[in-house]
Amino acid sequence: MVYGIALGSGGARGAAHVALINELKERAIKIEVVTGSSVGALVGALYALNPDVDLFQIFKDLTLKKKKTIDSQFRTLNNRITNFPKMVAGKSFLKNDFVYDIYKQLYGRKRFSDCKIKLGIVSYDLESGEEVEITEGYIIDAVMASSSVPGVFPPLRLGGMNLLDGGVLTPIPVKLAKKLGADYVIASNLNGEVKNDFKFNDGLDYIISIEDFKNDLMVNYEINKAEEVYTFPIEYSWEGFSYFNEIYQNAKNFLKSMQNKVRE
């Protein structure tokens, strides 16, 4: 049996991916294939390079060290009324220089061939409108491409393509994990927050709700192919990187409750 893990998109919610990986280590499940989309690519690439590394400590230290920079960069996203015209007029809110500096610390000049676990990363080609599967080359380029959130960061030019966030078409790359040889795929879904109502404060809320609905359809399409699925009910926003510890601990508690139900 070849075990694979498919890590979904979701920004700061990716702390839950770290909790799941640690949970699988405790269960002594040997993962031989890792696929990731957006933050799933970010976490999955580091895990694939060194399966024994303490992912929690690395990302905890990183979020603390870069807290001021991250908060400063994402502060502009908080006022949607001010920023919406800017998004319409330009290609992106933010430059991705600070993201590249962070990724450089994590991956350096490592390539896919340096990974101890087979790695696959998904991105989206802006021109063709198709999913792009990346399984070779420099890891930093693949992760940058997969995590370039549309409207927030500019597309990354790679291989003659303008690439954007893998979550645009493939929120959770289960299919790619199967393609890379996994018989049993564990899917990690970061978008399981409960929607209590469908009230819209403005037109942007309406647009976002439609996007969420579309994303739910694509997530369900992928996770239906997985053998084991964890859908984390995370209340924090995708840009809430300051809440890494809280998201991680909540995810751990969720996984513990899931295991208790299995035992019962």
Side-chain angles (χ1 to χ4, degrees), residues 3 7 11 25 37 45 53 63 88 104 107 117 131-132 154 169 192 200 216 221 231 247 255 259:
Y3 285 94
L7 305 176
K25 286 181 180 180
S37 178
V53 75
T63 52
V88 174
K104 191 175 181 180
Y107 314 115
I117 299 176
E131 172 189 340
V132 176
L169 277 185
F200 310 121
D216 288 343
Y221 176 76
T231 299
I247 297 171
L255 290 168
Q259 290 303 312

Side-chain angles (χ1 to χ4, degrees), residues 42-215:
L42 169 65
V43 175
L46 196 59
Y47 175 52
L49 277 170
N50 189 352
D52 298 322
V53 75
D54 188 342
L55 291 174
F56 172 73
Q57 196 62 49
I58 287 177
F59 286 112
K60 177 184 176 182
D61 293 344
L62 186 63
T63 52
L64 284 174
K65 183 179 179 181
K66 297 293 183 178
K67 185 179 185 304
K68 289 184 179 180
T69 302
I70 294 172
D71 288 348
S72 173
Q73 292 289 333
F74 282 99
R75 193 174 295 120
T76 186
L77 296 175
N78 293 332
N79 190 333
R80 294 179 299 174
I81 295 175
T82 300
N83 288 323
F84 190 60
K86 182 178 179 181
M87 183 180 72
V88 174
K91 292 183 178 179
S92 61
F93 288 141
L94 307 174
K95 294 182 179 180
N96 54 16
D97 296 357
F98 81 99
V99 178
Y100 184 84
D101 289 339
I102 292 174
Y103 291 175
K104 191 175 181 180
Q105 293 180 39
L106 293 174
Y107 314 115
R109 301 296 292 171
K110 297 291 186 180
R111 304 176 67 96
F112 279 77
S113 56
D114 294 313
C115 291
K116 295 181 175 65
I117 299 176
K118 189 180 293 184
L119 174 65
I121 290 174
V122 294
S123 187
Y124 168 77
D125 180 12
L126 184 60
E127 295 170 355
S128 70
E130 297 179 350
E131 172 189 340
V132 176
E133 299 172 348
I134 309 174
T135 57
E136 59 183 15
Y138 289 105
I139 289 176
I140 188 171
D141 292 337
V143 177
M144 280 288 292
S146 186
S147 57
S148 292
V149 181
V152 179
F153 298 111
L156 181 74
R157 189 72 179 172
L158 184 66
M161 298 176 288
N162 286 318
L163 301 181
L164 284 171
D165 195 303
V168 172
L169 277 185
T170 315
I172 308 173
V174 175
K175 182 179 67 174
L176 179 56
K178 296 273 189 179
K179 187 174 179 179
L180 293 178
D183 303 310
Y184 189 101
V185 178
I186 301 167
S188 182
N189 177 18
L190 304 180
N191 298 291
E193 74 276 15
V194 179
K195 300 177 179 66
N196 295 318
D197 60 64
F198 295 90
K199 296 178 181 179
F200 310 121
N201 295 318
D202 51 44
L204 186 56
D205 275 346
Y206 181 73
I207 293 172
I208 291 172
S209 71
I210 296 298
E211 180 67 20
D212 287 343
F213 179 71
K214 182 197 75 173
N215 187 73

Side-chain angles (χ1 to χ4, degrees), residues 14-28:
H17 288 330
V18 178
L20 177 57
I21 289 171
N22 286 341
E23 166 78 15
L24 296 177
K25 286 181 180 180
E26 292 176 7
R27 287 165 55 185

